């Protein structure tokens, strides 16, 4: 099985190392010529620390030619922020074989639907969140503190779920099948977490350059309330499409990131106070950050858009989008994953459900 | 001329002392029996420091009987936060003489209209902001750092402006006549300043108990942008009612609170950085504060409501109201100064303009 790994960030390096260690011939693609040169000069060797111990592995190919990376691939694993998806998808479109499985790890919200709309095809899977917790420590090394996370994967169209997951499971044995890409898209917990944290702490971030603990200090009782209410809007949107999803605190607990008590209380403030995993993570150094651009444009916006289609009001979600647009001087409604980009514009709920199931 | 001063806070104490010093027999009303007792025990003497030098004066009457305070008054000066208006207005209603002038100092936004709706009468004036900068230093003393501020006063109905201002000018010679109460209401600069500062710094306030400089540290470039955009919505609403108002930075400059350069640049961030008057003012100790309750419910909400009536969208204003409601668990749309409470529900713009002019 030939695998392409797309993306030269934290996730891409983790995936390239992981899949190489599993014995696959991987081609790691990045748009950065400098990064490709650095890795070539290092004999394609990536060093790793963390859950796999300490070691290094040689990735079969490293390239900034999309044609070389994806044209013969059986599986393309895309590890790219939501803000980068359009660029990658347009670049791969001419070279992607019809039966190649595209696995977006993660797809964020509406990622697989946007991909299907751009590529004009199916066999697209998306994870609700990245299956690694990883940080690049240099241009030739990565620290992986969690791997094999049991992420929820939706497949477009859903009728191909088993066939597509059969391919993905060779590389990622622990994925959990979602009903469809609406389920994986609406399980995007980062969109609940990051926007309230950055919007309602905007001055603090900008004044201090992010010098406070984002989840532990920054999620105060009032912000915890807002997270819960944004989460309730997400759950209401999901329900309109027939999905009964776990709430934010339960997802956090199931991921091992908080206590049972916090989950049972459905109290995001308590969940953050009692999250050892997140306790020391600092706030972003500025508002010009993926917690804003990605988690609004590829997170809250598509949730609000799915709500709009279904007639489910999402006022608190909308307020985050509006204030983020004001602060950043950007138009997330246009640049983000809106109904049109998901290929859902003008559809009814029934038509959406039929489309995500049958294509 | 008999004057009643309503309110036992900063403004009430400043007004009671000011008008006593001007030679009027004032009755100071407060709902607090304890405060009345403290002043009675002090022989009704209020000490003052600040712009009037250092001294003390004996207020003619101090009472917690609304009947005693307002029944024979020629002028009632009401110095009460917007959140307290309904309580005061309902309490005074049975005792207010038909020709008594009610001067709301300040009226916040929609204050005079709400008063007219509750009282069922006119001869109501409202200042756009408190004519003093004052802080009580104890229950028998007040520090006044600014008096005789040339505030804009609107009168309901506007056709009575000259007659009503003739009464007010005996006590407050420096008031400036506004076109009507729409002008005084829409010149509420606190509503531009405080809500972005508290909403977009909510976590910082809650985590530190307000231990940062609200205007100097808390109004960062991004928050300055939001202030300007909220201000643009206010100006657009005003324009729909035929009012061409000064922008936020110009108002601040005209009040002597910032530099000409900041005003000319129309840059609220720069205006705050260059405001010596505001530089050292700390943030509120919690979100449960008038910067939130008053400046949303008696500030941004009525501006948004006037916008809704006029068909002028106010998305950024609305976002502040929505997120404040979420954080505080309150319904500012219901408890604040909405169209119904202003007596404007169901009216067209033309009908509103006729009503504020002719009653």
């Amino acid at each position: 099985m030939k695998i392409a790994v797309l993306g030269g960030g934290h996730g891409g390096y983790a995936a390239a190392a992981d899949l190489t260690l599993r014995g696959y011939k991987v081609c790691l693609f990045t748009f950065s010529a400098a990064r490709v040169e650095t890795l070539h000069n290092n004999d394609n060797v990536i060093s790793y620390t963390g859950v796999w111990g300490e070691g290094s592995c040689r990735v079969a190919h490293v390239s900034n030619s999309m044609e070389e990376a994806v044209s013969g691939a059986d599986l393309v694993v895309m590890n790219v922020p939501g803000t980068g998806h359009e660029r990658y998808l347009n670049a791969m479109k001419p070279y992607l074989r019809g039966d190649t499985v595209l696995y977006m790890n993660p797809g964020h919200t509406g990622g697989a639907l946007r991909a299907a709309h751009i590529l004009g095809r199916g066999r697209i899977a998306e994870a609700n969140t990245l299956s690694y917790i990883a940080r690049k420590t240099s241009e030739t090394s990565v620290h992986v503190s969690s791997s094999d996370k049991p992420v929820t994967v939706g497949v477009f169209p859903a009728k191909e779920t088993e066939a597509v997951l059969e391919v993905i499971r060779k590389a990622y044995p622990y994925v959990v099948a979602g009903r469809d890409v609406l389920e994986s898209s609406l399980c995007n917990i980062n969109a609940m977490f990051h926007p309230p944290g950055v919007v309602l702490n905007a001055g603090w971030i900008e004044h201090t350059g992010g010098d406070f603990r984002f989840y532990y200090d920054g999620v105060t009782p009032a912000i915890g309330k807002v997270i819960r209410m944004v989460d309730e809007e997400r759950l209401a949107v999901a329900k309109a499409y027939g999905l009964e999803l776990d709430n934010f605190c339960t997802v956090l607990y199931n991921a091992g990131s908080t206590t049972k008590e916090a989950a049972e209380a459905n109290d995001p403030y308590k969940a953050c106070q009692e999250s050892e995993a997140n306790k020391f993570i600092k706030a972003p150094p500025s508002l010009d950050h993926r917690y804003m651009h990605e988690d609004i444009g590829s997170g809250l916006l598509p949730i609000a858009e799915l709500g709009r289609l279904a007639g489910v009001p999402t006022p608190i979600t909308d307020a985050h989008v509006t204030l983020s647009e004001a602060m950043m001087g950007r138009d997330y409604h246009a640049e983000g994953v809106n109904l049109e980009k998901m290929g859902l514009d003008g559809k009814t709920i029934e038509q959406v459900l039929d489309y995500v199931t049958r294509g």
Side-chain angles (χ1 to χ4, degrees), chain A:
Chain A
M1 185 164 86
K2 192 185 158 193
I3 303 180
V5 170
L6 309 187
H10 310 302
Y13 272 49
D18 183 20
L19 301 177
T20 298
L21 289 172
R22 287 179 195 272
Y24 292 107
K25 284 203 183 316
V26 167
C27 180
L28 172 62
F29 169 87
T30 160
F31 278 111
S32 162
R35 191 167 283 154
V36 168
E37 196 185 339
T38 302
L39 281 169
H40 283 175
N41 290 341
N42 202 44
D43 222 8
N44 289 0
V45 170
I46 292 179
S47 314
Y48 53 83
T49 50
V51 283
W52 306 325
E54 206 172 318
S56 66
C57 59
R58 181 180 298 162
V59 179
H61 305 280
V62 177
S63 175
N64 62 349
S65 158
M66 187 65 92
E67 180 173 7
E68 185 187 344
V70 309
S71 49
D74 304 292
L75 173 64
V76 172
V77 182
M78 179 170 151
N79 313 266
V80 173
T83 47
H85 282 191
E86 288 186 4
R87 183 183 184 202
Y88 276 80
L89 292 164
N90 284 312
M92 78 177 72
K93 187 175 177 178
Y95 311 115
L96 204 64
R97 223 172 58 200
D99 63 338
T100 300
V101 166
L102 172 61
Y103 178 42
M104 308 175 82
N105 184 23
H108 309 286
T109 302
L113 288 169
R114 172 164 62 182
H117 191 61
I118 289 175
L119 298 174
R121 50 157 281 185
R123 289 179 76 80
I124 300 169
E126 69 174 13
N128 70 312
T129 187
L130 182 62
S131 63
Y132 308 97
I133 298 177
R135 284 288 173 272
K136 277 171 70 177
T137 43
S138 78
E139 285 298 333
T140 59
S141 58
V142 64
H143 180 82
V144 179
S145 53
S146 166
S147 184
D148 290 338
K149 268 166 64 181
V151 297
T152 299
V153 174
V155 173
F156 179 85
K159 67 175 183 191
E160 293 179 32
T161 299
E162 275 319 303
V164 165
L165 285 191
E166 200 183 324
V167 176
I168 293 175
R169 284 207 175 102
K170 291 179 188 166
Y172 294 93
Y174 298 101
V175 297
V176 177
R179 189 192 70 181
D180 52 34
V181 292
L182 292 174
E183 178 166 353
S184 49
S185 277
L186 288 168
C187 288
N188 178 359
I189 291 308
N190 282 347
M192 305 296 105
F193 232 156
H194 296 155
V198 291
V199 170
L200 301 172
N201 287 310
W204 199 4
I205 288 171
E206 210 165 28
H207 182 72
T208 63
D211 189 19
F212 62 93
R213 291 167 296 190
F214 187 67
Y215 303 100
Y216 193 64
D217 301 333
V219 177
T220 58
I223 291 168
K225 260 192 223 173
V226 173
I227 291 174
R228 190 173 57 223
M229 292 173 84
V230 173
D231 194 47
E232 284 164 2
E233 293 183 353
R234 173 183 70 91
L235 297 175
V237 171
K239 198 169 181 180
Y241 293 93
L243 289 163
E244 295 282 348
L245 302 182
D246 286 337
N247 68 34
F248 171 83
C249 292
T250 303
V251 173
L252 221 59
Y253 169 63
N254 288 341
S257 295
T258 194
T259 59
K260 198 174 177 191
E261 293 68 36
E264 282 172 354
N266 188 16
D267 180 346
Y269 167 65
K270 188 175 161 74
C272 288
Q273 290 295 302
E274 296 177 358
S275 173
E276 289 306 318
N278 289 327
K279 191 163 181 173
F280 297 106
I281 295 173
K282 285 279 182 119
S286 86
L287 297 175
D288 186 15
H289 189 267
R290 67 186 169 89
Y291 283 8
M292 178 72 85
H293 309 311
E294 177 177 275
D295 292 314
I296 296 286
S298 309
L300 290 190
L301 179 79
I303 293 172
E305 289 279 281
L306 288 167
R308 186 162 65 87
L309 189 150
V312 175
T314 55
I316 301 170
T317 302
D318 298 345
H320 282 85
V321 178
T322 298
L323 289 178
S324 299
E325 289 180 334
M327 283 192 283
M328 306 313 295
R330 288 172 72 155
D331 183 353
Y332 291 118
H333 282 82
E335 68 180 73
V337 187
N338 54 34
L339 287 179
E340 194 187 346
K341 291 188 183 180
M342 288 188 276
L344 304 182
D345 208 17
K347 286 192 162 59
T348 63
I349 292 187
E350 293 67 33
Q351 287 168 332
V352 170
L353 289 171
D354 183 68
Y355 175 63
V356 300
T357 306
R358 306 200 297 158

